Amino acid sequence: MSSEDITVVHLMRHGEVHNPEGVLYGRRPGYHLSDLGRKMADQVAEHLAGRDITHVVASPLERAQETATPIAGAHGLDLATDERLIEAGNVFEGKTFGVGDGALKKPGNWKYLTNPFRPSWGEPYIEQVVRMMAALGAARDAARGHEAVAVSHQLPIWIVRSFAERRRLWHDPRKRQCTLASLTSFTFHGDKIISVGYSEPARDLVPSHLLAGAKPVKGKAKAFGA
């Protein structure tokens, strides 16, 4: 297997967002990285500094662009934007979504919870797979024989990983392995995915209640899918 046939695309989740109101911000503009989120981005940029990265691309949302910027800068690259990397659409955008409070307590919202398999509250999982696979393919093609970083959001990253690993797409959001500033790395041989890896270069900066598998804490919304 020639090294020229191997390409790695690191799907990165953005860093922590400044969100004192604890809303599900989804695709809404105006949500930027917190000071801690910027530290996460810088730490991942340092972690990747020695890698053979030739392409950096991000979702158009501010938090993704801000996360990708130090990585592109460390490699002397222009930052590209791909609309297909955007967060999943969700009818609960702008609402609080914490434990024991918020949107789920309101009967008017229950109609959106009827079908967890599609899901009924937002962008269908299969549509996320289609656009994220296309974005992965574009990043792979831009970095043939090298590595690329594509900054996206928790839910689309988890869904495309689940598809690649042949798992069901519907799932318990609390069990997503996609911590803030984590890397879900797809290795391609030619056009075919041959392995998927996962790492958390900024794990020491992530608050414990936001780590994958952490138990929900009342008053501390995880903003699932962010």
Side-chain angles (χ1 to χ4, degrees):
M1 187 182 298
S2 169
S3 61
E4 295 180 356
D5 297 330
I6 300 299
T7 308
V8 180
V9 179
H10 305 281
L11 270 184
M12 180 181 177
R13 185 183 172 193
H14 61 78
E16 185 189 63
V17 174
H18 179 67
N19 182 23
E21 296 83 13
V23 301
L24 183 70
Y25 34 80
R27 294 178 173 179
R28 290 188 162 207
Y31 285 89
H32 298 267
L33 293 183
S34 65
D35 289 341
L36 180 59
R38 293 181 186 279
K39 290 180 181 178
M40 292 176 182
D42 289 341
Q43 186 158 308
V44 177
E46 292 176 9
H47 173 78
L48 294 173
R51 303 297 291 259
D52 183 25
I53 293 169
T54 61
H55 181 66
V56 181
V57 61
S59 154
L61 296 173
E62 293 98 332
R63 56 193 184 271
Q65 295 276 315
E66 292 164 0
T67 298
T69 294
I71 300 171
H75 292 272
L77 300 170
D78 292 331
L79 174 59
T81 299
D82 191 331
E83 294 279 349
R84 294 170 295 193
L85 294 169
I86 200 167
E87 173 61 293
N90 193 308
V91 299
F92 293 110
E93 284 182 16
K95 298 179 172 63
T96 59
F97 212 77
V99 178
D101 59 6
L104 292 185
K105 292 188 69 176
K106 299 177 180 178
N109 290 327
W110 295 350
K111 62 186 177 183
Y112 298 118
L113 305 175
T114 56
N115 185 357
F117 306 104
R118 186 178 184 267
S120 53
W121 55 83
E123 182 184 9
Y125 292 139
I126 192 61
E127 291 183 11
Q128 294 178 53
V129 168
V130 170
R131 65 176 172 85
M132 289 296 289
M133 286 297 293
L136 270 176
R140 175 203 62 213
D141 291 344
R144 286 278 184 182
H146 305 279
E147 299 182 37
V149 176
V151 181
S152 186
H153 306 267
Q154 185 192 61
L155 179 54
I157 294 172
W158 181 248
I159 289 299
V160 76
R161 177 182 173 183
S162 296
F163 175 79
E165 295 181 332
R166 299 183 180 181
R167 290 195 305 273
R168 68 189 187 200
L169 301 183
W170 60 274
H171 60 282
D172 181 343
R174 297 168 297 183
K175 296 182 179 180
R176 294 174 191 157
Q177 189 184 41
C178 191
T179 296
L180 290 166
S182 60
L183 299 172
T184 300
S185 303
F186 296 76
T187 299
F188 291 84
H189 178 216
D191 292 346
K192 182 181 179 181
I193 297 172
I194 58 173
S195 68
V196 182
Y198 177 78
S199 60
E200 298 176 352
R203 183 182 177 87
D204 59 307
L205 297 177
V206 179
S208 60
H209 72 281
L210 295 178
L211 292 170
K215 293 182 178 180
V217 178
K218 187 172 183 179
K220 292 186 177 181
K222 291 188 71 169
F224 294 124

